[in-house]
Amino acid sequence: MKKTQLRFTALAAATAAYLATPAQAVEITQGDWTFNFNGFVNTHALYVSCDDSGNTVAGNALLCQGDDASSVSNGYSPASFSFSAGTSKNGWDLKATLAIEPGNTDNTAFNGSGDNKAYRAFFTVGNAEYGTLKAGRDYGVFGIDIVLEDMSLGGVGAPASVTSPLNTSLGGAGYGYIFTDRLSQITYSYQSESGIDAVVGIYQPLDLVSFGGNGYVGDTGSSRPGIHGKLRYNAEKGYISTTFISQDVDLPQNGYTASAIDVTAAFDLGNTHLVLSGFTAKGMGYYGLLIDAADATGEARDSDGWFAQATHLFGKTKVGINYGRSSVDLTANDSLVQVKDQTKATFGVYHPVLDLFTLAVEISDVQAQNHLGDELDNTAFSVGVMTSF
């Protein structure tokens, strides 16, 4: 049961893994209840060499153009504060969690429609024999494994809207995988002794939005709940998993069923950790769920991508490199300036300092190309610090 609950809050745990000595949550016991408090803070100084070609790539993942830019802001992981309360009765474990994740900027949160939406509130109930039910707002199932594997959870990865930073940067989202979102959901999970995990659930469907990609914006309807799920096989030195997501998009014209599926594999070879992932999607977006997922008339855009990463531990210092590519097909109504491919290569070093905080240094080359072959190119360099409590 404890293992299952840790996976439900795995984004915070994966981020804390970059710290030299991750702080243990403050734990208070009162009667049959146990209360936990923990938090995470990170800030990165970012400099970006912006594209000055004058090219247009509609729907690129918020790359900068014109003068070079800088920011002092959150990285890929939001700043956060989490509170939980748990108890066990009659062989069943109950745990409720509230996590506030506003970052340290006052700009609109990525996939959050404002900082007031950058939170999670959910509870889990279950046991090892029957599995666990989760209800509330938490990170979704689709894409969660590759998000957790991205080394830029401890850094920045791809910058976005540098002069007016979002709640977080993009990491590798839009460059080989689609970012999982905070979803209102009811989800069941079960972990077998054979190493196979299964997850299935329903969620409140998301609306179509556009970030400069000439996409449809509007209510997608809720004729049925969205569905998401996952199968994962855990081995001694790694795992392989597949996740999926699907929802109806009910529009006056060109309504469709949005869907996506991915496969992620990870393998440990001594102190080296290898990751490979790929996805394919119809009308689900290419860097955030339902973002620029359909053209202005509501016709679905197909997308796919892949992401590879290798990290190695030299003592306590983690060094890594990753590369990802996402591709988006044109619809009959799209112009040739619409984005075709996005690629990113990141090199990062993450080093603990004084057993108190972690220093992260990254450099990323980020490119977006349209269907005419025109490109935008950004080079980002960041130095940041992070700690947990």
Side-chain angles (χ1 to χ4, degrees), residues 208-221:
L208 286 165
V209 297
S210 179
F211 286 171
N214 302 316
Y216 189 95
V217 177
D219 186 356
T220 61

Side-chain angles (χ1 to χ4, degrees), residues 27 65 167 206 246 368:
E27 185 174 290
Q65 294 180 264
N167 193 52
L206 299 175
S246 175

Side-chain angles (χ1 to χ4, degrees), residues 98-124:
L98 173 62
I100 308 300
E101 299 171 329
N104 57 19
T105 69
D106 58 1
N107 299 93
T108 300
F110 176 59
N111 277 2
S113 300
D115 286 344
N116 63 317
K117 300 292 183 66
Y119 72 90
R120 293 177 294 124
F122 63 95
F123 76 88
T124 60

Side-chain angles (χ1 to χ4, degrees), residues 258-307:
S259 61
I261 187 170
D262 75 353
V263 176
T264 300
F267 180 73
D268 290 323
L269 186 63
N271 288 333
T272 299
H273 186 64
L274 304 174
V275 180
L276 182 63
S277 182
F279 81 92
T280 184
K282 174 189 176 182
M284 191 58 77
Y286 48 97
Y287 64 102
L289 296 177
L290 277 294
I291 297 177
D292 287 320
D295 67 22
T297 70
E299 185 174 345
R301 291 172 173 149
D302 294 337
S303 60
D304 59 74
W306 60 273
F307 182 90

Side-chain angles (χ1 to χ4, degrees), residues 109-320:
F110 176 59
N111 277 2
S113 300
D115 286 344
N116 63 317
K117 300 292 183 66
Y119 72 90
R120 293 177 294 124
F122 63 95
F123 76 88
T124 60
V125 60
N127 58 31
E129 182 178 0
Y130 294 104
T132 300
L133 183 72
K134 174 171 61 175
R137 178 182 171 87
D138 192 18
Y139 290 110
V141 176
F142 171 73
I144 188 64
D145 282 350
I146 186 56
V147 171
L148 297 179
E149 291 288 355
D150 192 340
M151 69 185 189
S152 287
L153 282 176
V156 173
S161 188
V162 181
T163 56
S164 183
L166 304 179
N167 193 52
T168 69
S169 62
L170 295 184
Y175 305 91
Y177 65 83
I178 302 174
F179 181 73
T180 189
D181 208 339
R182 302 174 182 90
L183 302 176
S184 178
Q185 61 185 282
I186 300 174
T187 299
Y188 170 78
S189 65
Y190 182 79
Q191 297 173 321
S192 71
E193 294 181 357
S194 63
I196 297 176
D197 301 345
V199 183
V200 66
I202 58 175
Y203 70 91
Q204 173 62 29
L206 299 175
D207 290 336
L208 286 165
V209 297
S210 179
F211 286 171
N214 302 316
Y216 189 95
V217 177
D219 186 356
T220 61
S222 299
S223 59
R224 69 167 176 91
I227 303 172
H228 59 181
K230 170 175 152 180
L231 279 175
R232 170 165 162 161
Y233 176 72
N234 301 292
E236 181 180 355
K237 293 186 177 296
Y239 69 87
I240 184 169
S241 72
T242 181
T243 67
F244 75 90
I245 188 170
S246 175
Q247 72 166 73
D248 288 340
V249 177
D250 298 324
L251 304 175
Q253 298 177 350
N254 296 325
Y256 65 91
T257 298
S259 61
I261 187 170
D262 75 353
V263 176
T264 300
F267 180 73
D268 290 323
L269 186 63
N271 288 333
T272 299
H273 186 64
L274 304 174
V275 180
L276 182 63
S277 182
F279 81 92
T280 184
K282 174 189 176 182
M284 191 58 77
Y286 48 97
Y287 64 102
L289 296 177
L290 277 294
I291 297 177
D292 287 320
D295 67 22
T297 70
E299 185 174 345
R301 291 172 173 149
D302 294 337
S303 60
D304 59 74
W306 60 273
F307 182 90
Q309 177 177 281
T311 58
H312 186 83
L313 280 175
F314 297 92
K316 292 184 178 180
T317 302
K318 177 176 285 189
V319 177

Side-chain angles (χ1 to χ4, degrees), residues 30-167:
Q30 180 67 41
D32 294 333
W33 288 86
T34 299
F35 303 92
N36 287 277
F37 305 85
N38 61 77
F40 177 77
V41 179
N42 71 98
T43 302
H44 300 260
L46 174 65
Y47 172 81
V48 182
S49 175
C50 299
D51 187 271
D52 60 1
S53 66
N55 291 332
T56 297
V57 181
N60 75 83
L62 306 179
L63 299 180
C64 65
Q65 294 180 264
D67 294 337
D68 294 346
S70 65
S71 69
V72 179
S73 56
N74 249 83
Y76 189 25
S77 295
S80 63
F81 175 81
S82 177
F83 165 79
S84 66
T87 189
S88 296
K89 292 184 179 180
N90 302 316
W92 294 83
D93 298 322
L94 173 70
K95 186 175 183 180
T97 300
L98 173 62
I100 308 300
E101 299 171 329
N104 57 19
T105 69
D106 58 1
N107 299 93
T108 300
F110 176 59
N111 277 2
S113 300
D115 286 344
N116 63 317
K117 300 292 183 66
Y119 72 90
R120 293 177 294 124
F122 63 95
F123 76 88
T124 60
V125 60
N127 58 31
E129 182 178 0
Y130 294 104
T132 300
L133 183 72
K134 174 171 61 175
R137 178 182 171 87
D138 192 18
Y139 290 110
V141 176
F142 171 73
I144 188 64
D145 282 350
I146 186 56
V147 171
L148 297 179
E149 291 288 355
D150 192 340
M151 69 185 189
S152 287
L153 282 176
V156 173
S161 188
V162 181
T163 56
S164 183
L166 304 179
N167 193 52

